[in-house]
Amino acid sequence: MQRKWSSGRMFLFAAVGSAVGLANIWRFPYVVGANGGGAFVLIYVASMLLIVIPLLIAEVALGRRGGADPISTMTTLARESGASPRWRAFGWLAILTTLIILSFYSVIAGWALAYVPKMLMGLTQSGVEHIQAEYAGLTSDPIQMSLWHGVFMVITIIVIARGLHRGIESAVKVLMPALFLILLGLVGYAGFKGDFSAALAFLFRPDFSKLSFEVVLMAVGSAFFSASVGVGAMMTYGAYLPQSVSIWSVAAWTAVIDLVVALCAGLATFPIVFANDLSPDGGPGLVFVTLPLAFSQMQGGFVVGLLFFTLLFAASLTSAFSLLEPAVLWLRTKFQVRRARASWAVGLLVWVAGLASVFSFNIWKDVHLFSGISRFQSSTIFDLLDVLVTNVLLPLGALMIAVFAGWQLSTGMLRQELVPGKATSLFAVWQILIRYLVPIALAAIFVGSLL
Ligand code: PHE
């Protein structure tokens, strides 16, 4: 008998913890600003509602029905519904994808962790050159980076090794409320001290001329990654969901909170950036150089900077749990490996795999595996893994979930998970979306991003 979350709220904490991460805080705000502001937000919200939420519902429902890791779950469900046993392949894809994501995710999360002591030691009190040199120094040093990546992995492993209740639940119970408080505090500070109207304009003024097929693809792809859908993480968390909890509401809340946090992250960072006449750069540059610069020019910047990097670290940590758990549960189910041993074994493997991403910033900076293809001419291994995950593995996994839940699993079984007792029109709407709209949209993304 599988263990269960103590309550629906614990599942929600863990699922929101998984969803809210680096994607919300350092990627979303920039992507919005650079791609049409409000127009992009509209598309993003639409894809959350029409594609991501139906998929989340499906993934959690499959997980709860199967009650195990993604490979065992798909094996059982395929057998129960008379589908081809080949559907098990989704389980393999899911475990592979979560481990690949974790391998590079924890490298960046390691930077966030490294910046907590850097802030404590007064990085924001030093000058521009020093802040830039600190970032360059960290990224160019493979030893320092491997260490921080290692420390981050060890913390993740320790939590996962402690199990569902003593590990994940205990951690998210503290980290999630803390995360929301810090975020609110940061938005308040930005509203008070920063240029809020410039940030609002950057984030929300709709510019439909910037919309293109590519931008739509990017919006949908970012929504997937940000909501942690399509990689079996939510399927694994769903396996622990008590039968009495309504999947509709937890899935919808997860997606909505994920979106709100992403918007708040934009409102916490850009007012500060604009108030200091800095340019709204994206990704690593924004978080590790521009923001510390902005903090250094502001009153209270020391505390705000410290809180910001604590927030970034906590958000990525709760995402990492959901990336390690599927493989650990699989080892436990399939080979009866003890949880602690499984966590350390998989965690170590991920750390070693992550070294490829670590080196992409320094000693392998000039290794371009696909230099023959113009699009990837200057892509490092880290860049390639990112593209592989967001453009190929994630949409493929999501497509498989949609087709399996929409066309293979019997409606009776789905009803048992989703509408115990009564038939609702919500179920009918969901079924239409998951059968038609979601697969068509996914197929378009898939083909579109390959071209
Ligand atoms: N959703 C996480 C983020 O926004 C990343 C993630 C993707 C976590 C897939 C688990 C599964 O950073």
Side-chain angles (χ1 to χ4, degrees), residues 124 181-196 264 267-273 275-276 291-308:
T124 51
L181 279 181
I182 296 180
L183 188 62
L184 277 183
L186 291 177
V187 174
Y189 176 86
F192 207 58
K193 292 270 179 190
D195 188 345
F196 217 65
C264 285
L267 295 179
T269 48
F270 286 118
I272 299 182
V273 171
N276 290 288
L291 280 180
L293 270 177
F295 296 144
S296 75
Q297 289 162 19
M298 302 184 84
Q299 213 184 4
F302 171 73
V303 181
V304 179
L306 184 61
L307 286 175
F308 178 81

Side-chain angles (χ1 to χ4, degrees), residues 11-363:
F11 171 85
L12 193 59
F13 274 13
V16 171
S18 168
V20 170
L22 293 173
N24 304 63
I25 300 171
W26 87 350
R27 203 175 129 83
F28 179 82
Y30 169 71
V31 174
V32 169
N35 291 291
F40 183 91
V41 173
L42 272 182
I43 299 194
Y44 191 84
V45 171
S47 47
M48 272 284 179
L49 289 178
L50 298 175
I51 303 178
V52 171
I53 294 184
L55 270 169
L56 259 178
I57 293 171
E59 193 173 332
V60 175
L62 294 179
R64 179 159 82 181
R65 179 82 200 182
D69 64 274
I71 299 175
S72 318
T73 285
M74 290 306 282
T75 311
T76 318
L77 294 183
R79 186 174 350 98
E80 272 183 12
S81 46
S84 158
R86 295 222 185 97
W87 278 102
R88 199 177 48 221
F90 170 80
W92 287 104
L93 178 75
I95 301 240
L96 179 75
T97 310
T98 46
L99 296 181
I100 293 180
I101 297 178
L102 188 54
S103 80
F104 63 77
Y105 199 83
S106 92
V107 171
I108 308 298
W111 295 357
L113 183 56
Y115 267 67
V116 174
K118 282 188 201 300
M119 287 288 141
L120 274 175
M121 287 181 322
L123 185 64
T124 51
Q125 271 111 335
S126 53
V128 179
E129 281 95 46
H130 190 84
I131 291 175
Q132 280 166 343
E134 198 68 40
Y135 176 65
L138 174 64
T139 48
S140 63
D141 181 353
I143 310 259
Q144 223 195 113
M145 264 180 79
S146 323
L147 281 178
W148 286 112
H149 159 53
V151 176
F152 182 83
M153 279 311 301
V154 167
I155 302 175
T156 309
I157 293 169
I158 290 176
V159 172
I160 294 302
R162 289 168 65 91
L164 192 63
H165 295 145
R166 291 196 317 127
I168 303 181
E169 279 194 3
S170 310
V172 295
K173 221 164 23 193
V174 178
L175 292 174
M176 296 318 288
L179 200 143
F180 287 110
L181 279 181
I182 296 180
L183 188 62
L184 277 183
L186 291 177
V187 174
Y189 176 86
F192 207 58
K193 292 270 179 190
D195 188 345
F196 217 65
S197 55
L200 283 178
F202 180 68
L203 284 171
F204 296 113
R205 188 185 296 142
D207 178 359
F208 287 96
S209 70
K210 287 221 177 123
L211 289 190
S212 62
F213 182 61
E214 268 167 21
V215 170
V216 175
L217 287 186
M218 178 137 70
V220 187
S222 321
F224 280 146
F225 188 81
S226 183
S228 305
V229 84
V231 299
M234 291 297 184
M235 183 179 270
T236 307
Y237 276 5
Y240 305 130
L241 188 63
Q243 204 63 36
S244 56
V245 177
S246 152
I247 291 180
W248 304 102
S249 59
V250 285
W253 275 115
T254 303
V256 169
I257 298 175
D258 184 56
L259 176 66
V260 172
V261 169
L263 295 173
C264 285
L267 295 179
T269 48
F270 286 118
I272 299 182
V273 171
F274 290 125
N276 290 288
D277 289 324
L278 296 164
S279 81
D281 193 358
L286 173 73
V287 171
F288 296 101
V289 180
T290 312
L291 280 180
L293 270 177
F295 296 144
S296 75
Q297 289 162 19
M298 302 184 84
Q299 213 184 4
F302 171 73
V303 181
V304 179
L306 184 61
L307 286 175
F308 178 81
F309 286 103
T310 311
L311 169 82
L312 196 62
F313 162 63
S316 37
L317 185 63
T318 53
S319 298
F321 299 158
S322 69
L323 291 167
L324 186 57
E325 181 66 19
V328 168
L329 183 62
W330 174 68
L331 281 180
R332 282 179 55 63
T333 319
K334 176 91 183 174
F335 304 105
Q336 280 83 43
V337 181
R338 289 220 324 275
R339 180 171 266 281
R341 191 168 293 174
S343 310
W344 284 99
V346 181
L348 192 67
L349 181 82
V350 169
W351 180 77
V352 173
L355 293 179
S357 296
V358 167
F359 298 157
S360 300
F361 291 89
N362 33 70
I363 47 181

